[in-house]
Amino acid sequence: MSTRRNRGRRRVSVTVAAAGAALAMAVLAACGPQDTGADQQPSSSTTAAGTTEPATTSAAPATTQAPTTPATTAPAKSTKPAAPKTKAPTKPPVEPAVMKVGTTSSQVRELQARLGQLHLFSQNPTGYYGSVTQHAVSDFQERHALASTGSVSQATWSKLRSLTHQPTHKELYPPIPAKPAGKLDARCMTGRALCISKTSRTLSWVVNGKVQATMDVRFGSQYTPTREGLFHVDSKSRDHVSTIYHTSMPYAMFFSGGQAVHYSSDFAARGYAGASHGCVNVRDKAAISRLFDEVHVGDKVVVYW
């Protein structure tokens, strides 16, 4: 009996022991790390000695972030001061011309008279601004440290006026010399005649043997010579323009075909440096203007050496 009881007790003990072992294994399996999907700090556990130590669980290796490409940074601007810009030298403003070559006016006549007072203009004032006047103006500008342009600026005009007096009527319109530069042709001594000498290069207005006025003239070139001989004024044209050369021929008095006595702005400007196409050029506009009013169609014209 006792033997059976002992065997039964041992079986119960073994059964109980096996059940306990199975329970212990189930408890141990339930204590592993839980994946909650979040990064959490592992909790600490209390040792038998009563000290708190971090749990010795093995953590998953930290995720290594891929190296980021450093942002491209624009190069810093140089703090060196920029070189100052070199400005081109500015030229002094050029004064507009008050009078220049080609101008015809009473002011030009005054200019010429004032230059005459300073012995820079030796001719009678004509009111036409030509090369002779241009050279006289340049001479004046050089003598007084002005820009030598040959044109009259306001500065030139002011300086000239400060050194001269207001021209008199006689200085502006000097009397035309009555005495001829040379001997008159015999054909000029009777009646009314325009007596034109190629030797003295003068025209004398003669009435009944008496000289009324004399003025400078020039003639045609060797290729277009002014014809000599006795002629008569056959027509007059105050504001004539050449139909051949399309040039102005003021106060024209025709005596031989297309040849005429008339005012020439080119003669006034260039003097004897030029020539006509056969006409008799007069350079004093005021003088020929008066002569034009006195001469009649039919009056004699004598051209001689």
Side-chain angles (χ1 to χ4, degrees):
M1 278 299 282
S2 59
T3 303
R4 290 177 180 175
R5 290 176 180 173
N6 289 336
R7 288 177 180 174
R9 290 174 181 171
R10 284 197 293 271
R11 288 175 181 171
V12 171
S13 298
V14 170
T15 302
V16 171
L23 179 63
M25 290 298 292
V27 172
L28 287 173
C31 291
Q34 299 180 10
D35 185 6
T36 61
D39 293 334
Q40 294 181 351
Q41 183 73 21
S43 60
S44 60
S45 60
T46 304
T47 63
T51 60
T52 302
E53 293 180 357
T56 58
T57 57
S58 57
T63 302
T64 305
Q65 296 181 351
T68 57
T69 304
T72 304
T73 307
K77 292 182 179 180
S78 175
T79 57
K80 184 179 179 181
K85 293 182 180 180
T86 304
K87 292 184 178 180
T90 56
K91 296 181 180 180
V94 178
E95 291 186 74
V98 177
M99 288 170 277
K100 59 184 179 180
V101 171
T103 303
T104 300
S105 67
S106 59
Q107 190 179 33
V108 173
R109 184 179 289 272
E110 180 183 346
L111 166 69
Q112 294 166 336
R114 288 181 182 273
L115 290 170
Q117 294 173 19
L118 300 176
H119 306 290
L120 296 175
F121 189 81
S122 59
Q123 300 179 8
N124 291 339
T126 63
Y128 179 81
Y129 201 121
S131 60
V132 176
T133 304
Q134 182 185 32
H135 294 153
V137 169
S138 294
D139 192 1
F140 174 81
Q141 290 170 330
E142 290 175 0
R143 295 187 184 198
H144 297 281
L146 296 167
S148 183
T149 62
S151 297
V152 180
S153 64
Q154 188 58 55
T156 300
W157 185 235
S158 297
K159 185 66 175 179
L160 179 60
R161 285 170 61 91
S162 70
L163 297 175
T164 56
H165 62 261
Q166 181 64 39
T168 64
H169 185 272
K170 186 176 180 179
E171 289 174 321
L172 292 170
Y173 301 93
I176 300 172
K179 186 177 180 179
K183 184 179 179 180
L184 293 175
D185 187 280
R187 293 169 292 183
C188 300
M189 304 309 294
T190 58
R192 298 159 57 90
L194 291 171
C195 202
I196 302 168
S197 170
K198 284 189 171 182
T199 301
S200 62
R201 296 189 294 189
T202 59
L203 179 156
S204 297
W205 172 230
V206 184
V207 178
N208 298 323
K210 293 184 178 179
V211 177
Q212 308 297 312
T214 299
M215 56 200 74
D216 295 335
V217 294
R218 74 175 183 183
F219 308 98
S221 68
Q222 67 180 95
Y223 302 105
T224 55
T226 302
R227 293 183 281 273
E228 299 107 25
L230 172 62
F231 310 94
H232 294 84
V233 176
D234 53 47
S235 64
K236 296 171 60 178
S237 178
R238 185 179 296 272
D239 300 305
H240 192 78
V241 176
S242 171
T243 57
I244 298 175
Y245 303 105
H246 307 290
T247 55
S248 179
M249 299 169 55
Y251 308 108
M253 294 172 280
F254 291 91
F255 62 87
S256 177
Q259 294 189 354
V261 175
H262 68 84
Y263 169 72
S264 169
S265 59
D266 183 73
F267 184 27
R270 300 169 57 199
Y272 292 102
S276 74
H277 291 96
C279 290
V280 178
N281 291 164
V282 178
R283 66 177 169 188
D284 190 326
K285 193 172 186 179
I288 193 171
S289 174
R290 291 193 293 270
L291 180 63
F292 183 87
D293 293 335
E294 294 183 23
V295 173
H296 303 155
V297 173
D299 288 344
K300 290 188 294 186
V301 178
V302 182
V303 183
Y304 64 99
W305 284 100

